[in-house]
Amino acid sequence: AQSVAQPEDQVNVAEGNPLTVKCTYSVSGNPYLFWYVQYPNRGLQFLLKYITGDNLVKGSYGFEAEFNKSQTSFHLKKPSALVSDSALYFCAVRGLYNNNDMRFGAGTRLTVKP
Amino acid sequence: DVKVTQSSRYLVKRTGEKVFLECVQDMDHENMFWYRQDPGLGLRLIYFSYDVKMKEKGDIPEGYSVSREKKERFSLILESASTNQTSMYLCASSLAHGQFFGPGTRLTVL
């Protein structure tokens, strides 16, 4: 069965600095990988996904993520953080053929300070 | 854009009450899901449905049931609410890649 790990409960960065939110995964075969963001008292919003192709995936709001097969990682990055990026971020994985078994990480709370 | 709506944003119920959480999607998606979200645990799948009247248990189905009578609507039912079911409940739907989420229902059971 697939799983994801987000090793950091909390990430703090200063506005304007680059940010990284880490995610590692475990899945049989090729993975589908996703990042979602959740603002307070809201549902999850899709940020980006990796299905196949270029290892660097660009998504919404200036975020990008790098798929690294050898390290089984899919870290979320942004070159210059904004205070408005402060939110809860979830990484998710599912297997190639099973759309009904998506596994989410525990979430990482990103705080961007002015 | 896909829209997934949930009937209530906030709900307060008493122990033992029967609770209905409704979810509607407008994109003709076959797959629909119910998750609960708790701090430090991420999202845990309660039930999912891949077609009308079809349902499958997720990881934590105990204390819950579901109903899918129409393709666009997927209901989560707490037969007899308990305090440990206080949580944020998220509905999602999907067609192929990725899931689209509703705004969530924060349920408090007193």
Side-chain angles (χ1 to χ4, degrees):
Chain A
Q2 51 264 30
S3 65
V4 292
Q6 293 182 243
E8 301 157 316
D9 294 334
Q10 174 92 29
V11 170
N12 298 315
V13 298
E15 188 175 29
N17 282 359
L19 69 87
T20 299
V21 183
K22 295 180 180 177
C23 172
T24 58
Y25 68 89
S26 173
V27 69
S28 298
N30 295 323
Y32 285 2
L33 293 157
F34 305 84
W35 276 101
Y36 289 86
V37 60
Q38 184 181 39
Y39 297 101
N41 298 313
R42 303 287 295 275
L44 273 66
Q45 295 180 31
F46 171 81
L47 271 181
L48 51 81
K49 66 183 177 187
Y50 172 83
I51 304 297
T52 186
D54 194 348
N55 290 344
L56 186 64
V57 180
K58 294 190 182 297
S60 307
Y61 313 121
F63 284 92
E64 58 189 28
E66 187 168 12
F67 171 64
N68 188 317
K69 190 171 184 177
S70 63
Q71 297 185 4
T72 60
S73 67
F74 190 57
H75 301 331
L76 181 70
K77 300 181 180 184
K78 188 173 182 180
S80 179
L82 300 172
V83 173
S84 57
D85 292 331
S86 299
L88 190 56
Y89 290 80
F90 290 96
C91 182
V93 66
R94 75 167 177 90
L96 190 62
Y97 298 109
N98 189 353
N99 188 35
N100 296 325
D101 193 12
M102 183 175 282
R103 298 288 163 163
F104 289 82
T108 298
R109 185 163 299 282
L110 173 67
T111 301
V112 181
K113 297 183 178 178
Chain B
D1 282 350
V2 175
K3 191 161 187 182
V4 181
T5 57
Q6 294 182 229
S7 52
S8 304
R9 294 296 303 277
Y10 300 94
L11 211 52
V12 179
K13 296 292 181 181
R14 297 206 173 273
T15 301
E17 280 193 78
K18 192 169 186 176
V19 182
F20 293 87
L21 303 182
E22 305 284 339
C23 175
V24 177
Q25 51 96 2
D26 66 356
M27 284 301 291
D28 203 36
H29 287 173
E30 294 179 344
N31 301 317
M32 297 187 74
F33 307 80
W34 275 107
Y35 294 90
R36 64 176 281 177
Q37 180 186 2
D38 299 289
L41 297 177
L43 275 68
R44 292 180 291 168
L45 182 64
I46 304 171
Y47 268 97
F48 68 92
S49 169
Y50 51 90
D51 203 350
V52 175
K53 296 190 185 295
M54 307 303 287
K55 60 186 180 184
E56 291 285 344
K57 293 180 180 179
D59 297 323
I60 51 165
E62 296 78 17
Y64 303 94
S65 62
V66 290
S67 171
R68 192 160 180 208
E69 297 297 318
K70 293 183 178 181
K71 193 173 187 178
E72 67 270 19
R73 188 180 297 270
F74 191 35
S75 302
L76 180 70
I77 303 155
L78 286 66
E79 296 289 343
S80 177
S82 63
T83 55
N84 63 13
Q85 292 178 310
T86 291
S87 186
M88 170 74 104
Y89 290 87
L90 294 168
C91 175
S93 73
S94 73
L95 187 60
H97 305 147
Q99 296 182 4
F100 297 89
F101 285 83
T105 296
R106 186 167 293 282
L107 173 67
T108 301
V109 183
L110 302 176

